[in-house]
């Protein structure tokens, strides 16, 4: 198989982090754009990206890029794509997509046209009047931006933020990819004491443990392309073996505390499922009153947002109480994500640095105190 171009979409604000991550994995021609990162490689590179990428949402093969100002241009562009290189005679190929700032603004109509083009192309290649679609799923995705269409084949299936360890979560969970990004921003590599004082279902602590171990986040899940007839099974075996060989061994100091015992039960179960249950100490505690666990370390947390879990005033009171409690914790670096625009006011101290991110569709800032 020739070298392919891959696209890794990501949450807004994480593009640079994802680009750096893909470069560290040794992937080639990494190029960062808004909400996505491109790289080139073969199926081995595809498998490595799926298994090892912590902050991207999925890995897709770029099949075609063309102007689509009309349905005819969309039809001809999809029909010209090399679908037969990937989709076999019995493959199922559903179509999803979106259109923004384009003349073709009806997504259902675009889906129908793209599907018809794919059926006509594959039917002609395989000499079939209709496509059975009884085999593995080859999800096609299109994006139309300013009359420019890109057609992709999704190799991940379920989004990469779903590692497989979090079947149950508390009321307002942080995406695993966002939690990994926060740990990455804190430059945690396992040497410092790590504390999440509002740990909830444990996602930040679990991602910290996986990073400390250098354990690939996709080791315990499957991917859509594992069922692709065009991808050798050996590609996945070798990628998993390589990822396993890069893991570390060690003792780490990771603490998660929360005032809610039910959330802590969920956190412990999630950590066990992720294989890091023995590396994290989960305790019931009030973050605004408990003694600091030691003199220095990293605080990385996602305190409750007023818009999502508490009334806004209650959340503001929590920020104020927490800020007062750790006001003199100078030995601790703090990385706190919040959607509250006046967070620094309530916390009682301006951040040394801020970074705008999106938790899903909710605009947030990571407030960094060094």
């Amino acid at each position: 198989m020739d070298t392919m171009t891959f696209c890794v979409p990501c949450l807004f604000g994480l593009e640079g982090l994802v680009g750096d991550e893909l470069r560290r994995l040794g992937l080639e021609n990494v190029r960062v754009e808004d909400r996505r990162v491109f790289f080139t490689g073969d199926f081995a590179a595809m498998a490595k990206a799926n298994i090892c990428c912590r902050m991207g949402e999925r890995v897709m093969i770029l099949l075609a890029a063309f102007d689509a100002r009309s349905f005819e241009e969309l039809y001809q562009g999809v029909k010209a794509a090399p679908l037969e290189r990937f989709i076999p005679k019995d493959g199922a190929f559903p179509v999803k997509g979106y259109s923004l700032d384009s003349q073709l603004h009806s997504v259902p109509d675009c889906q129908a046209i793209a599907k018809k083009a794919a059926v006509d192309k594959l039917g002609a290649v395989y000499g079939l009047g209709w496509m059975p679609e009884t085999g593995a799923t080859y999800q096609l995705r299109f994006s139309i931006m300013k009359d420019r269409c890109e057609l992709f084949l999704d190799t991940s299936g379920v989004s990469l933020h779903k590692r497989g360890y979090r079947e149950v979560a508390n009321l307002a969970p942080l995406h695993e990819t966002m939690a990994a990004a926060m740990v990455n921003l804190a430059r945690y590599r396992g040497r410092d004491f790590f504390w999440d004082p509002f740990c909830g279902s444990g996602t930040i602590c679990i991602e910290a443990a996986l990073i400390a171990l250098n354990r690939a986040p996709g080791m315990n899940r499957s991917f859509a392309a594992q069922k692709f007839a065009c991808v050798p099974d050996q590609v996945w075996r070798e990628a998993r073996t390589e990822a396993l060989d890069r893991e570390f061994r060690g003792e780490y100091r990771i603490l998660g505390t929360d005032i809610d015992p039910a959330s802590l039960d969920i956190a412990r179960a999630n950590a066990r499922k992720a294989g890091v249950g023995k590396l994290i100490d989960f305790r019931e505690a009030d973050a605004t009153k408990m003694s600091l666990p030691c003199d220095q370390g990293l605080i990385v947390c996602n305190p409750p947002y007023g818009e999502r879990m508490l009334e806004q005033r209650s959340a503001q009171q929590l920020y104020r109480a927490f800020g007062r409690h750790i006001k003199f914790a100078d030995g601790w670096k703090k990385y706190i994500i919040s959607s509250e625009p006046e967070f620094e006011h309530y916390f009682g101290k301006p951040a040394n640095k801020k970074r705008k991110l999106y938790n899903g569709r909710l605009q947030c800032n990571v407030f960094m105190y060094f």
Side-chain angles (χ1 to χ4, degrees), residues 93-146:
F93 46 98
V95 177
K96 292 181 180 179
Y98 63 87
S99 178
L100 296 173
D101 300 326
S102 299
Q103 296 179 59
L104 300 181
H105 54 82
S106 171
V107 171
D109 288 341
C110 291
Q111 287 177 310
I113 294 295
K115 179 69 175 184
K116 176 173 172 48
V119 168
D120 291 350
K121 171 64 175 287
L122 293 170
V125 169
Y126 295 121
L128 297 174
W130 62 278
M131 301 300 296
E133 299 196 54
T134 55
T137 298
Y138 296 74
Q139 179 70 62
L140 296 176
R141 295 180 180 270
F142 66 84
S143 69
I144 305 176
M145 287 281 291
K146 297 181 179 178

Side-chain angles (χ1 to χ4, degrees), residues 122-191:
L122 293 170
V125 169
Y126 295 121
L128 297 174
W130 62 278
M131 301 300 296
E133 299 196 54
T134 55
T137 298
Y138 296 74
Q139 179 70 62
L140 296 176
R141 295 180 180 270
F142 66 84
S143 69
I144 305 176
M145 287 281 291
K146 297 181 179 178
D147 297 327
R148 184 73 177 169
C149 180
E150 292 173 324
L151 182 67
F152 302 96
L153 174 61
D154 182 0
T155 71
S156 301
V158 175
S159 175
L160 296 182
H161 82 265
K162 296 186 177 179
R163 321 288 205 211
Y165 65 74
R166 195 174 73 173
E167 291 185 2
V168 181
N170 60 349
L171 188 57
L174 198 68
H175 267 199
E176 291 88 333
T177 45
M178 181 64 77
M182 290 189 64
V183 176
N184 190 279
L185 286 171
R187 293 183 171 86
Y188 175 69
R189 296 296 182 270
R191 292 182 290 274

Side-chain angles (χ1 to χ4, degrees), residues 10-258:
C10 59
L11 294 173
F12 184 79
L14 301 189
E15 304 91 337
L17 296 175
V18 173
D20 291 342
E21 178 180 42
L22 296 177
R23 292 185 189 99
R24 287 195 299 270
L25 290 172
L27 300 176
E28 298 180 347
N29 301 315
V30 175
R31 174 167 52 89
V32 175
E33 296 186 0
D34 283 346
R35 298 192 67 174
R36 58 188 193 171
V37 181
F38 290 89
F39 69 93
T40 61
D42 55 11
F43 283 137
M46 175 206 69
K48 177 185 284 190
N50 270 299
I51 292 170
C52 299
C53 187
R54 299 184 190 280
M55 293 173 282
E57 292 299 316
R58 59 184 67 252
V59 180
M60 306 186 296
I61 301 170
L62 177 62
L63 298 177
F66 51 89
D67 291 333
R69 294 176 294 267
S70 67
F71 287 130
E72 179 62 21
E73 286 186 333
L74 176 61
Y75 175 87
Q76 294 298 339
V78 173
K79 191 174 181 181
L83 303 176
E84 72 279 6
R85 290 177 58 191
F86 305 96
I87 304 175
K89 184 183 298 187
D90 65 343
F93 46 98
V95 177
K96 292 181 180 179
Y98 63 87
S99 178
L100 296 173
D101 300 326
S102 299
Q103 296 179 59
L104 300 181
H105 54 82
S106 171
V107 171
D109 288 341
C110 291
Q111 287 177 310
I113 294 295
K115 179 69 175 184
K116 176 173 172 48
V119 168
D120 291 350
K121 171 64 175 287
L122 293 170
V125 169
Y126 295 121
L128 297 174
W130 62 278
M131 301 300 296
E133 299 196 54
T134 55
T137 298
Y138 296 74
Q139 179 70 62
L140 296 176
R141 295 180 180 270
F142 66 84
S143 69
I144 305 176
M145 287 281 291
K146 297 181 179 178
D147 297 327
R148 184 73 177 169
C149 180
E150 292 173 324
L151 182 67
F152 302 96
L153 174 61
D154 182 0
T155 71
S156 301
V158 175
S159 175
L160 296 182
H161 82 265
K162 296 186 177 179
R163 321 288 205 211
Y165 65 74
R166 195 174 73 173
E167 291 185 2
V168 181
N170 60 349
L171 188 57
L174 198 68
H175 267 199
E176 291 88 333
T177 45
M178 181 64 77
M182 290 189 64
V183 176
N184 190 279
L185 286 171
R187 293 183 171 86
Y188 175 69
R189 296 296 182 270
R191 292 182 290 274
D192 303 289
F193 193 106
F194 187 98
W195 177 31
D196 178 359
F198 304 95
C199 70
S201 55
T203 306
I204 291 176
C205 289
I206 293 170
E207 292 298 320
L210 294 174
I211 287 173
L213 289 170
N214 200 36
R215 178 171 296 166
M219 283 293 285
N220 297 321
R221 56 156 288 176
S222 60
F223 305 92
Q226 287 180 243
K227 295 182 179 180
F228 287 7
C230 56
V231 182
D233 291 340
Q234 182 181 354
V235 163
W236 297 99
R237 289 196 299 270
E238 291 177 353
R240 292 182 191 280
T241 299
E242 180 185 349
L244 194 60
D245 290 343
R246 290 200 304 266
E247 284 192 16
F248 302 143
R249 300 290 185 272
E251 298 292 329
Y252 307 104
R253 297 172 297 165
I254 303 173
L255 172 65
T257 61
D258 201 279

Side-chain angles (χ1 to χ4, degrees), residues 195 197 256-260 264 283-291:
W195 177 31
T257 61
D258 201 279
I259 201 169
D260 178 24
L264 291 169
R283 302 180 202 163
E284 183 179 347
D286 184 339
T288 66
K289 298 177 181 178
M290 67 174 285
S291 299

